[in-house]
Amino acid sequence: MSPDRAPAHPQAHVIDPAGGCPHTLNARLRARGAVAEVVLPGGVPGAVVLGHEELKEFLSHPDVAKDARHFPGLHDGTVPADWPLRVFANAQGMHTADGADHRRLRSLVGNAFTARQVERLRPRVQELADDLLDGLARAAEDSADGTADLRTHFALPLPMSVICELLGVDPEHRGRLHHLSNTVIISTDVPPAEVMAAVRELVELIATIAAARRAAPGEDLTSALIAARDDDGDRLSEAELIGTMRLMLVAGHETTLNLISNAVRALCTHRDQLALVLDGKASWSDVVDETLRWDGPVSWFPFRYPTRDLPLGGAVIPRGTPVLAGYTAAGRDGAVHGPDADRFDVTRPGAGRNLSFGHGAHYCVGAPLARLEATIALERLFTRFPGLDLAVPEAELPHQRSFIGNSVETLPVRLAQAV
């Protein structure tokens, strides 16, 4: 790898902000090595970790940090002030904290997402799913061609409703929250000025939500976070409160939206695998695990920073390099998942070893909730509409314009196969 802060190697992969389906690119880069130099949007040198074992090591390495103070270019003028990916580095919350700070922040929300607490949400998630499927059916009936967008009517509102109910967010804010979070986090080809404006509005909206809960506390997680901060003023600053809420709101619906969408696409284009589940030869949990591995909801996620020159996968990542976690690449690493790693197989042994929710201290705190929501969504959807299929060829579905998010922009479906 190149020396600290030196220009990227001429063969470094220049990331396309518009993204696209990542799998062909992942295979090409992974064939060269488990770690690749990249040029981030804005001409900033970086790296991506592509191999499963290398990524697992990197995510839990003691000499890898999340705090952006370990990224010199962010502070010495090398990286421009309007760099759109600053939003990932500058955010304050448990996802950008290390050590004791990370443990302190994570402990404030961790109890709400334990397996036991999440299981208590099952009846409500089932109720929401069934209500949304009624709406999906109405949308298809009301359309001229008998189709409906599964993302709009089901895959998005299910996790959005759940996380907003947990946080005490009033329904009128939910549409705007999704638009802003998609602009800030997912759509990596948005102009910098638009990103910055969306960041400001998102922070203001979350502050408004927090103020409403401060004025009228309830049995919700936002009220609990405010109480924890107010009882012990140095436990959770205002910036940490806003950052923690932003993390939970964004990650609490965007990733599950993509997970559900990708699982439905996979099952519709692999009817034999769907038949195995409907016949009881595989479970909906198996589908979720294999989707996470084969076509995970997050592709290359920013950032982590080596605190020293770090040997990894036959390369050396210089200290302070902004590194992306290549989740979709690791999911199809044949060294771990076998020579048929590109094949979608719900009976695959070891699919649950995927790294799509991370690994180590920063393993996604919301993983149990995402799994519950996706499992219920798929079971309810295909039990009610076993003939559901894509309304257009999969190749014609527009991919998210992102190298971070990995899914499609829309997912038009027919609720019964054409006769």
Side-chain angles (χ1 to χ4, degrees):
M1 303 290 283
S2 54
D4 189 17
R5 305 313 310 151
H9 189 278
Q11 291 187 347
H13 170 70
V14 179
I15 292 177
D16 182 355
C21 184
H23 300 299
T24 299
L25 172 62
N26 284 337
R28 178 166 60 82
L29 294 179
R30 202 174 49 234
R32 300 181 191 170
V35 179
E37 285 190 80
V38 298
V39 179
L40 297 161
V44 177
V48 59
V49 183
L50 305 157
H52 176 101
E53 291 299 331
E54 291 79 8
L55 181 57
K56 185 176 180 181
E57 177 184 349
F58 181 77
L59 293 175
S60 59
H61 201 288
D63 295 321
V64 172
K66 293 279 280 183
D67 191 324
R69 66 187 178 88
H70 297 285
F71 179 13
L74 207 63
H75 316 291
D76 64 10
T78 304
V79 175
D82 65 350
W83 189 45
L85 296 183
R86 273 185 180 270
V87 64
F88 295 94
N90 288 345
Q92 293 189 44
M94 62 183 176
H95 58 309
T96 55
D98 297 310
D101 274 347
H102 173 251
R103 290 189 293 272
R104 171 177 60 89
L105 294 168
R106 190 177 176 103
S107 69
L108 292 174
V109 301
N111 288 339
F113 295 99
T114 63
R116 176 177 293 183
Q117 288 295 100
V118 166
E119 186 59 32
R120 293 175 59 184
L121 298 173
R122 181 179 293 275
R124 178 57 178 152
V125 177
Q126 291 173 334
E127 179 184 22
L128 284 168
D130 290 341
D131 288 346
L132 290 168
L133 289 176
D134 290 341
L136 179 69
R138 288 193 297 271
E141 291 170 1
D142 293 344
S143 70
D145 58 0
T147 69
D149 181 12
L150 189 93
R151 283 175 69 88
T152 298
H153 296 285
F154 186 63
L156 168 59
L158 179 62
M160 177 59 100
S161 296
V162 173
I163 196 63
C164 284
E165 288 184 7
L166 274 175
L167 287 166
V169 177
D170 294 333
E172 62 263 28
H173 296 310
R174 296 175 187 178
R176 193 62 184 165
L177 278 170
H178 172 64
H179 170 77
L180 292 171
S181 72
N182 191 272
T183 301
V184 172
I185 304 299
I186 302 298
S187 300
T188 50
D189 69 336
V190 175
E194 189 175 333
V195 172
M196 298 305 173
V199 170
R200 289 192 293 271
E201 185 180 347
L202 181 59
V203 169
E204 290 170 1
L205 180 53
I206 292 173
T208 299
I209 294 165
R213 298 282 65 80
R214 188 178 290 109
E219 298 297 319
D220 56 80
L221 189 51
T222 300
S223 297
L225 289 170
I226 292 169
R229 183 175 66 86
D230 289 345
D231 289 345
D232 185 355
D234 65 357
R235 291 197 69 210
L236 194 63
S237 69
E238 185 71 14
E240 288 172 338
L241 172 65
I242 299 301
T244 300
M245 290 178 63
R246 185 173 81 176
L247 171 65
M248 289 189 291
L249 283 165
V250 174
H253 84 276
E254 292 282 5
T255 53
T256 309
L257 160 63
N258 283 359
L259 173 56
I260 294 169
S261 301
N262 292 358
V264 170
R265 283 192 300 129
L267 291 170
C268 287
T269 53
H270 298 80
R271 307 300 297 194
D272 59 325
Q273 300 299 300
L274 175 59
L276 289 174
V277 185
L278 295 177
D279 291 344
K281 297 175 182 176
S283 70
W284 295 110
S285 293
D286 294 331
V287 174
V288 170
D289 280 339
E290 179 66 347
T291 302
L292 287 166
R293 181 201 71 80
W294 186 73
D295 200 21
V298 176
S299 189
W300 292 6
F301 195 77
F303 286 119
R304 283 172 165 83
Y305 318 97
T307 58
R308 63 175 176 85
D309 291 354
L310 186 70
L312 185 71
V316 175
I317 307 176
R319 177 184 64 84
T321 299
V323 182
L324 301 160
Y327 293 120
T328 50
R332 297 199 185 188
D333 186 350
V336 170
H337 296 292
D340 66 343
D342 287 330
R343 184 167 64 90
F344 182 73
D345 178 5
V346 298
T347 66
R348 180 184 303 277
R353 292 185 296 155
N354 71 81
L355 299 172
S356 286
F357 287 124
H359 180 69
H362 284 273
Y363 181 81
C364 177
V365 70
L369 178 58
R371 287 182 179 276
L372 178 80
E373 291 170 337
T375 303
I376 290 173
L378 295 170
E379 186 272 332
R380 286 300 214 254
L381 177 67
F382 283 103
T383 297
R384 182 162 173 180
F385 305 115
L388 180 143
D389 208 350
L390 302 182
V392 299
E394 185 186 23
E396 296 179 12
L397 294 172
H399 204 276
Q400 284 183 329
R401 296 185 64 80
S402 176
F403 64 86
I404 296 173
N406 174 47
S407 193
V408 291
E409 293 283 359
T410 61
L411 189 58
V413 296
R414 298 185 188 278
L415 302 186
Q417 295 187 50
V419 178

